Amino acid sequence: IKRIQYFKEFERTFHLSSTKYQYSNNESTIVLSEKGKNIGIALLNDSWRCSSELKPEQHFMGYNQLWNANNVFKQQNTIFNIAVFHHPLASFNDNEREEIETILSSQPYDVVFCGHSHKHEAKSLTSTSGSYYVINGRSAFNSANEQNSRFQPGYNILDINLETREYKIHARKFIKHTGYLFDKDTDSIKGGEENGVLPNTNLYTEFAKPEQSNNKDKNLPNSYSADVHKIVGLLIGKSLYPRPYMFVRELVQNSVDACKRVKERNNSIKPCIAIDVNTTENYLEVRDNGDGMTKSILKNHFSVIGKSISQEFSDSSGHFDLISRFGIGFMSTFIVADRVVINTHSETDGHISFVINDVFKGFNYIEPPTESILATTGTSIRIYMKSSYRPNEALNEAIEYLRHIDGLEIHHDKSKINPPNSWNIEGSHHNFELDSPTYVIKLGINHSPKPIIASNSGFLIGLDLPEIIPYKFPYIIGGEINFLPKGIDFDMSRTKIMPTKKSETFRKEVSVALKKLFRQALESGNPPLIQQVINYLQYYLQYYDNNNMQMELSYSDFYSKSELINLCCDNMVLQFQGRSAYLSDILSSMKFSGLKYIFYASGNRSDYNNIVYQFLDSQGYIVFENRGTNVSFRDAPQQITTQATMQQIANHYQMSVVDINQVPKQLLTEMKLDLAQFPERLAEVLSEISKEHGVKIEIGKFGNLPKASVRNNNEIFLNHDYATFQSLIKMTDQPKDQFKIYLLGILGLPLH
């Protein structure tokens, strides 16, 4: 902090006499005039926490400095603005770096100067919001004995024509062996000099020539025009490729296409594709022994945005099913690339090698390095990444979406890695597989939810995409669907399937897996899995009337309501008369006996409910616990209840489902024993107690109830099967008062 304070005090004192210099403890600005035009320079203070051990996530500067400087430039009507940082932009924490880059590109900043790293770098940076030119310079006062060429002393001169925005950059480096002189920095720039045009969001490319319009007013447009920098920024920006390492997918897709063209000509050839990661040199390379790129392909397709190589072959032959359709995939490499080295070998033109350092600059053709010469036809593309990106991270992400690529090899620092080959059905109890000319389906049924992966020609599209999954398809059925070329329509990012006729047709085709896997599960003898399937069958039955229309649109052959009722009856197991029994068997017994009621109990049952439950069960009625459970679906879980399922079944069998608290009284008549079969003393005393306490007392057999009596409002039942009642019968010859007191105790009534 002291060091910064000393510098800021020096800065303030030094510029006291300058009227164009505005000083602050953070940013400072100066506005210079050149031929009557104002040029703004913002000096940003980003060194408050400068140290050799500073990590990017700890490095902050306060990007409001840029806004403050921009306000000054607006007041001074500057036509060209420069921002000066000490640190390179990549050294800031991710969140603030994105804000800084957005401000620089969206506001009128034209050139950015950076230092700190002591190495030369110059390039145009473009996003969807705008563009600017950034230069990272060497240190003019670094050690004269520095051996590493990248960090030897040097400086840059940037010569700009403000009218045309053309520039010439002179790179100079201290070269000891030439006589201790600053000379052309040929290590950084070929020849030590470079010409170009600064990116400008106000320069547009017109679609039509001026003579194609009858416009005579220069203030009116002649035709539509395009902001090329912004369009390119979109193509290599987050809107199309939200994940920066998606370029690996694009490169591998190009290689797959190249290999398919070779295989089309000679089916006996088995071309290979390799991904090489080198963490030491921070690059990732994709190689193939496909057909390579000819000069014509490079000129008319590779270097033309929007025109893919694959289109050349599919348009001319009409029968190549290729996947790199949009002609912009290679551009995605520049999201992370510091430079790109391309080697290609075709039968027509042999070896061609070139380097791309900047998407807005020219290709630099080179002699192919000996180690890069391809033995057969094919192409290698090596991406040297910016310091903030890592090739091993790119590989890890690539493994997620490179699902089934024929002939793929992966090497990480020369160690071979087995490429992924999972179909997401490992551990499934039963599988369903279906091959067709347009897709391969492999699904399995599991105890727990599992996604359905969608891929296209072996490349991941996404998980659980609703466009191809039937309505309310069970979440316990998972696996993968790999569409073959032209098997499905997807968007430009290849991460979303378009809702077209193809997806509608496919949904119905994949729907057949449900009934087949459910049947296998129900026949498996696996109780947990069977219960999962029964839960889904109950859901489909419970919500049949609500869902039927959507099920018919989404399934080729879904269950009818009768089928669902039969499946539930054949597989649901209930407790019945002391044993487990299938619902279908219980219903057959009830039908034979002419019973028309099905009873249910909810929540905690009272003692009275328990004796009614026991009695009805003994009479052959279905009495069940009404339980609720959630059934998993991809959109949201759905609740089912046993009562709702039984209601559908009862309607089918012309029966009624009744709460156990609402049992018709006539059905409980036989639950009561005739008092005439007991000693007269018992009947006499019970009659007296009933009158004195205003209750009705009955006797019943409730062997499963460990209590002497049960009360339900003003009705009390004595439990004939309980030991206390049997003792009571033996006391009938005792004095009446003594017998009555004992009976009141059993009934839970006070002395009157």
Side-chain angles (χ1 to χ4, degrees), residues 325 461 465 467-468 488-492 495-504 507:
R325 296 166 37 186
I461 301 174
L465 302 179
E467 293 80 10
I468 59 170
I488 202 72
D489 298 319
F490 42 84
D491 71 348
M492 186 175 288
T495 59
K496 295 180 181 178
I497 289 177
M498 305 299 289
T500 62
K501 189 67 176 178
K502 286 182 182 178
S503 62
E504 291 178 13
R507 250 199 326 263

Side-chain angles (χ1 to χ4, degrees), residues 190 194 293-295 297-305 330-331 333-334 340-342 344 352-366:
K190 188 176 182 179
E194 180 180 86
M293 291 185 283
T294 64
K295 293 178 180 179
I297 291 296
L298 288 170
K299 183 175 182 179
N300 299 312
H301 295 273
F302 175 84
S303 60
V304 179
I305 297 173
F330 181 76
M331 297 293 294
T333 60
F334 290 98
V340 180
V341 180
I342 298 170
T344 188
I352 301 172
S353 298
F354 57 99
V355 180
I356 307 175
N357 290 305
D358 190 322
V359 70
F360 294 105
K361 295 181 181 178
F363 298 169
N364 295 320
Y365 290 91
I366 60 174

Side-chain angles (χ1 to χ4, degrees), residues 206-265:
E206 291 191 339
F207 286 1
K209 296 178 180 179
E211 58 267 25
Q212 292 177 300
S213 170
N214 65 352
N215 177 35
K216 304 300 182 183
D217 188 341
K218 66 178 182 180
N219 294 317
L220 291 173
N222 295 316
S223 67
Y224 280 109
S225 58
D227 186 331
V228 175
H229 280 88
K230 282 194 175 182
I231 290 174
V232 173
L234 175 65
L235 297 181
I236 62 175
K238 292 183 178 180
S239 57
L240 186 57
Y241 296 102
R243 297 162 69 177
Y245 297 122
M246 290 299 284
F247 74 89
V248 183
R249 179 190 69 179
E250 302 296 336
L251 296 183
V252 174
Q253 283 181 330
N254 289 336
S255 291
V256 168
D257 288 347
C259 291
K260 282 185 177 179
R261 292 192 291 268
V262 169
K263 197 170 180 64
E264 183 76 11
R265 292 193 290 267

Side-chain angles (χ1 to χ4, degrees), residues 419-482:
N421 194 32
S422 165
W423 282 85
N424 194 37
I425 55 175
E426 294 77 11
S428 298
H429 296 283
H430 305 281
N431 295 329
F432 169 87
E433 297 187 11
L434 183 62
D435 289 1
S436 85
T438 55
Y439 57 77
V440 176
I441 300 174
K442 293 187 180 183
L443 300 176
I445 190 166
N446 311 271
H447 281 131
S448 55
K450 204 167 195 178
I452 293 178
I453 299 171
S455 55
N456 181 62
S457 296
F459 294 86
L460 175 70
I461 301 174
L463 306 181
D464 293 327
L465 302 179
E467 293 80 10
I468 59 170
I469 298 178
Y471 182 69
K472 296 302 180 186
F473 198 70
Y475 210 173
I476 59 172
I477 296 179
E480 184 167 355
I481 301 158
N482 184 31

Side-chain angles (χ1 to χ4, degrees), residues 182-209:
F182 281 95
D183 206 341
K184 291 182 178 181
D185 182 2
T186 56
D187 290 341
S188 299
I189 301 177
K190 188 176 182 179
E193 297 177 350
E194 180 180 86
N195 297 307
V197 178
L198 294 178
N200 189 334
T201 56
N202 295 319
L203 289 179
Y204 306 124
T205 301
E206 291 191 339
F207 286 1
K209 296 178 180 179

